[in-house]
Every structure is written in structure tokens, then in C-alpha cells.
Amino acid sequence: MPALPDRLADRLITDQDVARTYGVDASPGSVAPAEFTVVRARDRGDVVEVLTYAAAHRVPVVAQGARTATTGSAVALEGGIVLNTEAINHVEIDPVERIAVVGPGVVNGDLKSQLTAYDLAYPPDPASSGSCTIGGNIATNAGGLCCVKYGVTADYVRGLEVVLAGGEVMRTGRRTAKGVTGYDLTGLFVGSEGTLGVVTEAVLRLIPAPDPALTVLAVFDTLEATMAGVAALRGQRHTPSLLELLDGPSITAIQAFGDYGFPPGAGGVLLVQSDRIDHAHEDVVAYAEALAAAGATDVAVADDPAEADLLLQGRRALNPALEARGPRMIEDVCVPVARLGDLVRAVHQIAERRGLESTCSGHAGDGNLHPCFFFDDTDPAQVDAARGAFGDVVEAAWALGGTLTGEHGVGVLKAPWLEGELGAAEVARQRALKAFFDPLGIMNPGRVFP
Ligand SMILES: Cc1cc2nc3c(=O)[nH]c(=O)nc-3n(C[C@H](O)[C@H](O)[C@H](O)COP(=O)(O)OP(=O)(O)OC[C@H]3O[C@@H](n4cnc5c(N)ncnc54)[C@H](O)[C@@H]3O)c2cc1C
């Protein structure tokens, strides 16, 4: 690759061991290519330089945040540039307009912490919020635990500054609460997984901080009863701020990791929260009554935020508990809420057929679950079985009226199924849009589109 412009000399990561850590993301089995260059941009000017250079020399560019993507969308490309934006992390908070203007490198959890001083909140809360960046969240339209009440990242992005392939700077959207001037290019870039341009600034909508959430934890004997609990909550007048499901195998995995108080043999657990200002207590009492009436065998209600947090610890232990079990294929599909039970059953049938172990938990309030298949990565037959199960789950979600990804995105891993969901004509239209913004095809090629 020809030498990069001088301005970028001290933005390069030259230590090969460190550079290799920028070559992979959190997707299972992701492998860094042999040759790639890592640039840690410090401002928009650096991004312009990289994209001008990349267009001139036809070099592929992977925009990158904290590398927590689970789909391979942030993995380096052979002979390409990893353009990491973590160091572009300015934050300006405007409490009157209730907006934050931020750099893409701001860590989601850090923004939340800064907003507490203003009694404001930025709701999108991926489970990775302690490390993932706003740029990555925007590029994947990230969701999380609070979406059931507050929606996803797209609902909070008012405007963007983006550097396009070739180095042109484009601004989309607005700072104001309303605005319908022209097409919604902000919406087009949200969820585009770095395939259209590099986000260098975002205008984010904020909301008044809700009350600290109170929690209900309900244990059920069977999956069917757990689903009756979900249905009962859908009948409530006030939407919970969190509604999470742990299935039986997930509960077993969590208890094997540490004692979080779940009874042995439970068929399912629902965790439900309310953060409604001045009404959280009344809401959780109503949720608890509805869950007991739906068949919960044990219902615990937290009376104060500290206790509420304790009840949530078992849910928080899910990711580390699953990680501790060894290599796993993490799925992310979304189905109508009424079909959640069918999805959980389908996942376990797929695992049995493929000779794998599985768990199936996640964001029940959105119909968005994260099935996991565990496999021995030293056994090629098990690796094949896990890959096969991954595809089977996509087909199962489609059969239930769902979609192949609820929040993690398409990346590399799900690109082969894109056309199966969208159809050839729609994929052709989307490819034409990509070609308009990225005529040389250098922005994260091979991701989203196979
Ligand atoms: C333990 C764990 C829990 C998770 N929980 C959730 C969850 O609850 N909800 C959820 O939605 N996701 C979740 N994720 C997935 C992941 O955290 C999100 O997709 C997150 O938004 C990625 O942010 P990142 O900064 O790590 O981006 P990266 O992984 O670095 O990149 C992700 C994508 O964004 C693009 N990108 C990054 N920065 C820019 C930029 N400045 N401009 C343009 N494109 C850019 C990359 O090219 C890539 O396509 C989880 C992941 C893990 C490991």
C-alpha cells in the first residue's frame, strides 16, 4: 500500500501485537487478516484524509468503534484500513433543546453518566453499553434492554455528520425537534454498518431522566406459563421499561456460573421493570399481580432501587455465564411477541437435531431473542453443526413472521440470507443506493451485501 499522508503518521498503530487486536470484533471465530493498517482518527480532518487516500488508491476501509459487533461487521479486511473512531469523543449537551452533539467514539455508558448531572437520559442501552460506542450504535441501529418502552437508536438520532467515500463531508437531518425537509438520509445511514460513510458527529435526542427503575422477578414452571406471563403484561396500560426472558437452559447456565437464587428446574423467568415517574411502585405491584394470575410460582417485587438492581443481577450474569461455557454461536432474531414461545421451542428442536446444546433468552418485550448454540471449536463436525443451526434459526424466525436480525445487524455472518428476506428486487435497489454513496465499493465491502 502506498504511504499514508504525513498528517496520519502519529495516528497509526505500528505495534503489530496491538494492531492485531483491532483486526477482530466480538463475532464467533473472527480472524484478523494478514495485512491491514490501523488508523485511530482524532477528528473529522483525519477521517477526510483517510477516505480521500482510500479512494485515490482503491483501498477498502472498515470504520470501527469498540469492536463489540457480533456479526463480523467490524473485522479488518485484507490489505485494507481499519479507521477507528473511538478517539473522536467530544460531547456537548444542550439541556434546553434536550440534545447532545457527540463524536462517534463516545462510549454509550459514559454519555449516560454525563447526562445524570442534567437530569436527562439517552435511553438506548445495549448490554455492551460499558464499552460500545455511539458510532457503532448508530451504524448498527443498536437496541438493548429498554427498547420495549423507549425504542431503538434510530428513534434518538436527529442528525449526522458523515464523511463519504472520497472525503466529502455531508450533514444530514437537523438539531430541531421537528423537520421534514427532503428525504430522511439520517435514517438511511442509521443501521448501514459502515457501508455508506463514516459518522464523525451525531445530534442525539434526549429525554427527561425517568425515575430509578423498580423490578419484578417472576419464576414459572413451564415455558407455556412464562409466555402466558408475557401476554398478561401486554394487557397492562403502562408499558414496562424492561421485559426480559430467561429460558430454562439459560437459568441452569446462570446457576452453574454462580448462585443467583433461581430454583432448579424452573421453566422460565421474566424480569420486568417500571421507571414511570412517581408511579414505578404502583406499576410493579400491578405487574406482579398479573404475573401471579398468569401462573408464576414465585414473584419477587423490589421496593427500592438497590433491591431492584439485585433482582436484575441474574440477568446481568447471563452473558458472562454463557461465555464461561465456551465457544458459542450467538443468534439475534425478532418475531411477533405472540410467537416467542414457538421460537424458543424451535431453537431447542434445532439444537437437538444438530446434536448441540442451546439457550434462548433476551428481550421478550420486543420479540427479540438471542439463541445460543454451544460447540466444540476443535471439532469440525460441531463447527458445521453450529453454522447449520445458525441458518436454521433464521428460517425458523421467517416461518414465524419474523426477521433475521433484531438489533445486531447483518454484517458478514448473515449476508447470505439478505436476499431471502428482502427479495432480489429490493436488494438491487439497496445495492444501487450503496453505489450512489460509495461508487468504488470501498466502504466495508462484503458486509451486509454478500
Ligand atoms: C456482550 C455483548 C452484548 C451486546 N448486547 C447488545 C444489545 O443488547 N443490543 C444491541 O443492539 N447490540 C448488542 N451487542 C452488539 C454490539 O455491542 C452493538 O452492535 C454495538 O452497537 C457495536 O458498537 P461498537 O462501538 O462496538 O462498534 P463496532 O463493533 O466497532 O462496529 C460495529 C459496526 O459499526 C460500524 N461503525 C463503527 N463506528 C462507525 C462510524 N464512526 N461510522 C460508521 N460506521 C461505524 C462498523 O463498521 C461496524 O459495521 C452486544 C455485543 C456484546 C459483545
Side-chain angles (χ1 to χ4, degrees):
M1 199 165 79
L4 282 149
D6 287 347
R7 174 193 166 112
L8 299 173
D10 64 350
R11 273 63 157 175
L12 295 178
I13 296 200
T14 47
D15 181 311
Q16 283 311 299
D17 290 335
V18 179
R20 296 210 73 70
T21 65
Y22 287 76
V24 294
D25 62 16
S27 54
S30 72
V31 179
E35 292 288 333
F36 61 97
T37 303
V38 183
V39 179
R40 271 182 66 89
R42 289 188 202 153
D43 55 25
R44 179 211 308 136
D46 290 348
V47 176
V48 169
E49 286 279 345
V50 170
L51 293 188
T52 307
Y53 167 94
H57 301 285
R58 306 285 198 273
V59 178
V61 176
V62 180
Q64 194 187 69
R67 308 177 288 290
T68 64
T70 58
T71 61
S73 64
V75 175
L77 288 162
E78 185 65 52
I81 297 174
V82 166
L83 177 50
N84 188 289
T85 55
E86 283 172 301
I88 311 178
N89 57 5
H90 53 280
V91 176
E92 172 205 324
I93 295 164
D94 183 335
V96 175
E97 295 306 321
R98 289 189 180 152
I99 55 173
V101 180
V102 305
V106 175
V107 170
N108 178 300
D110 292 349
L111 177 62
K112 287 185 193 310
S113 304
Q114 291 191 42
L115 290 171
T116 56
Y118 299 84
D119 254 338
L120 290 169
Y122 173 68
D125 63 341
S128 52
S129 68
S131 53
C132 66
T133 65
I134 296 294
N137 295 169
I138 290 170
T140 56
N141 192 8
L145 282 71
C146 73
C147 307
V148 58
K149 177 171 176 181
Y150 292 105
V152 294
T153 300
D155 299 312
Y156 295 89
V157 184
R158 283 198 185 159
L160 293 174
E161 178 187 88
V162 179
V163 183
L164 300 173
E168 186 188 343
V169 178
M170 177 178 99
R171 286 190 180 75
T172 71
R174 60 205 151 77
R175 292 171 71 111
T176 51
K178 292 167 103 179
V180 287
T181 315
Y183 293 143
D184 177 13
L185 293 186
T186 307
L188 176 64
F189 274 76
V190 175
S192 62
E193 301 189 35
T195 60
L196 299 177
V198 178
V199 174
T200 46
E201 193 169 86
V203 181
L204 304 176
R205 175 170 81 88
L206 308 173
I207 62 167
D211 267 357
L214 296 182
T215 310
V216 183
L217 186 156
V219 181
F220 298 84
D221 279 345
T222 62
L223 178 65
E224 288 66 32
T226 316
M227 291 307 139
V230 173
L233 291 169
R234 300 292 282 185
Q236 295 288 310
R237 283 188 61 216
H238 297 291
T239 307
S241 53
L242 173 149
L243 170 46
E244 295 285 301
L245 160 77
L246 300 173
D247 75 339
S250 301
I251 297 164
T252 308
I254 293 168
Q255 282 298 107
F257 184 66
D259 188 1
Y260 291 89
F262 296 128
V269 161
L270 292 179
L271 291 138
V272 195
Q273 286 195 325
S274 171
D275 62 0
R276 193 159 64 99
I277 295 175
D278 296 336
H279 293 281
H281 184 71
E282 142 198 352
D283 286 351
V284 287
V285 168
Y287 300 156
E289 282 170 7
L291 292 167
T297 51
D298 192 8
V299 182
V301 182
D303 278 328
D304 61 66
E307 208 182 310
D309 201 53
L310 270 179
L311 288 185
L312 217 59
Q313 275 187 355
R315 168 64 181 94
R316 289 216 192 88
L318 178 67
N319 278 329
L322 300 183
E323 206 174 315
R325 279 189 64 170
R328 64 193 160 124
M329 196 65 108
I330 311 167
E331 258 287 5
D332 162 51
V333 288
C334 194
V335 297
V337 173
R339 307 305 301 272
L340 274 173
D342 295 323
L343 177 64
V344 176
R345 273 184 289 274
V347 165
H348 296 313
Q349 280 161 10
I350 290 166
E352 207 177 321
R353 206 170 55 237
R354 298 259 181 198
L356 301 168
E357 290 191 11
S358 58
T359 57
C360 190
S361 294
H363 317 305
D366 311 316
N368 179 201
L369 297 186
H370 298 307
C372 268
F373 296 99
F374 300 90
F375 60 102
D376 175 356
D377 61 355
T378 61
D379 176 354
Q382 284 256 307
V383 175
D384 272 0
R387 285 204 185 116
F390 193 75
D392 294 347
V393 171
V394 170
E395 308 264 347
W398 285 342
L400 296 170
T403 177
L404 64 83
T405 172
E407 57 181 16
H408 290 178
V410 177
V412 184
L413 295 183
K414 288 206 163 160
W417 287 277
L418 188 76
E419 196 170 310
E421 180 158 326
L422 299 182
E426 174 65 7
V427 171
R429 278 189 286 271
Q430 295 204 9
R431 278 189 189 276
L433 272 173
K434 165 147 173 90
F436 177 80
F437 285 102
D438 177 25
L440 300 174
I442 54 173
M443 300 306 302
N444 221 358
R447 279 76 202 260
V448 182
F449 303 103

